[in-house]
Amino acid sequence: DAGVTQSPTHLIKTRGQQVTLRCSPKSGHDTVSWYQQALGQGPQFIFQYYEEEERQRGNFPDRFSGHQFPNYSSELNVNALLLGDSALYLCASSLAGVRYGYTFGSGTRLTVV
Amino acid sequence: QQQVKQSPQSLIVQKGGIPIINCAYENTAFDYFPWYQQFPGKGPALLIAIRPDVSEKKEGRFTISFNKSAKQFSLHIMDSQPGDSATYFCAANSDGSRLTFGEGTQLTVNP
């Protein structure tokens, strides 16, 4: 039973470019949340998707957007990349209504140069 | 009010020692307090979690102590091992969705 799968594992982009990160949730999960983890910091909530809609959003600018597909997989898009966007981007999946089944992927390491 | 403050930032103990990591919160709506363990290059993995209606929970060598009146909770690792060396995060949430994380504690257990 595969856990949460994220791709790519590493990515290097130039300031001003756009990036798309992908996440496949754990089998049986229907909700996907995205987190940004800067080096040496705790993860910060970006947004959550359920039933293909953004349900909650953290304190991130509109440059950060997402999408959820009918198979529950999700994408995180970041436009106009800044150096400060360099971080580990984590995807977590869960089952709606179940508090304790949050499962994280290993993340995508994004470096903006 | 959404912050969770965690201390210490780093901790070094000898094998067999009992490291203690502390967290404090302000938002009284929080009602679920998990601890996560993260190894380099990996995502956080759930270690143990507690609800505020109990004061202590044990799972193997890991114990959470919870003080609702002080809005504080802590993680104790009994008989620590070098394999426990990792970064530990406390977290909290109130509605089953977003998790609010502490800043993390880098634990080193020396052989």
Side-chain angles (χ1 to χ4, degrees):
Chain A
D1 181 22
V4 178
T5 304
Q6 292 189 242
S7 63
T9 55
H10 296 84
L11 201 54
I12 299 175
K13 288 287 189 178
T14 302
R15 189 173 46 183
Q17 284 188 316
Q18 179 265 345
V19 68
T20 297
L21 311 181
R22 294 176 176 81
C23 172
S24 292
K26 182 179 178 179
S27 178
H29 286 182
D30 57 7
T31 302
V32 173
S33 302
W34 287 92
Y35 288 79
Q36 180 195 65
Q37 185 177 19
L39 197 61
Q41 300 292 318
Q44 298 290 318
F45 176 78
I46 303 175
F47 43 52
Q48 181 184 76
Y49 278 83
Y50 171 65
E51 292 186 329
E52 302 179 49
E53 290 188 9
E54 183 181 293
R55 299 293 178 167
Q56 285 204 13
R57 189 179 184 91
N59 188 26
F60 280 80
D62 292 344
R63 298 187 297 109
F64 289 77
S65 62
H67 189 78
Q68 186 180 34
F69 300 93
N71 66 353
Y72 308 120
S73 66
S74 177
E75 288 181 349
L76 164 65
N77 301 293
V78 186
N79 294 323
L81 285 167
L82 304 174
L83 296 179
D85 294 332
S86 295
L88 180 67
Y89 288 85
L90 295 163
C91 171
S93 72
S94 57
L95 183 62
V98 177
R99 292 289 295 275
Y100 311 112
Y102 234 74
T103 302
F104 282 86
S106 292
T108 294
R109 172 70 64 187
L110 172 66
T111 302
V112 182
V113 298
Chain B
Q1 260 216 335
Q2 290 296 319
Q3 283 187 322
V4 176
K5 295 188 181 298
Q6 182 173 346
S7 64
Q9 188 174 14
S10 63
L11 190 54
I12 300 174
V13 299
Q14 293 299 118
K15 177 182 174 181
I18 306 176
I20 301 173
I21 305 170
N22 300 297
C23 286
Y25 64 97
E26 289 295 326
N27 187 349
T28 55
F30 286 148
D31 63 356
Y32 173 61
F33 301 89
W35 284 88
Y36 285 85
Q37 180 188 56
Q38 186 175 30
F39 292 104
K42 299 293 185 181
L46 179 65
L47 202 57
I48 185 174
I50 197 168
R51 297 289 299 270
D53 52 349
V54 298
S55 59
E56 186 176 276
K57 182 175 181 180
K58 293 182 181 180
E59 285 187 5
R61 296 184 294 108
F62 301 94
T63 300
I64 300 179
S65 298
F66 189 87
N67 186 329
K68 187 175 181 179
S69 61
K71 292 185 284 187
Q72 295 175 348
F73 57 111
S74 59
L75 176 70
H76 301 227
I77 306 176
M78 306 303 176
D79 187 27
S80 59
Q81 302 296 313
D84 296 330
S85 297
T87 301
Y88 292 81
F89 293 95
C90 61
N93 80 358
S94 60
D95 55 6
S97 57
R98 73 175 71 188
L99 284 167
T100 300
F101 283 85
E103 299 91 339
T105 297
Q106 187 168 358
L107 172 66
T108 301
V109 182
N110 289 324

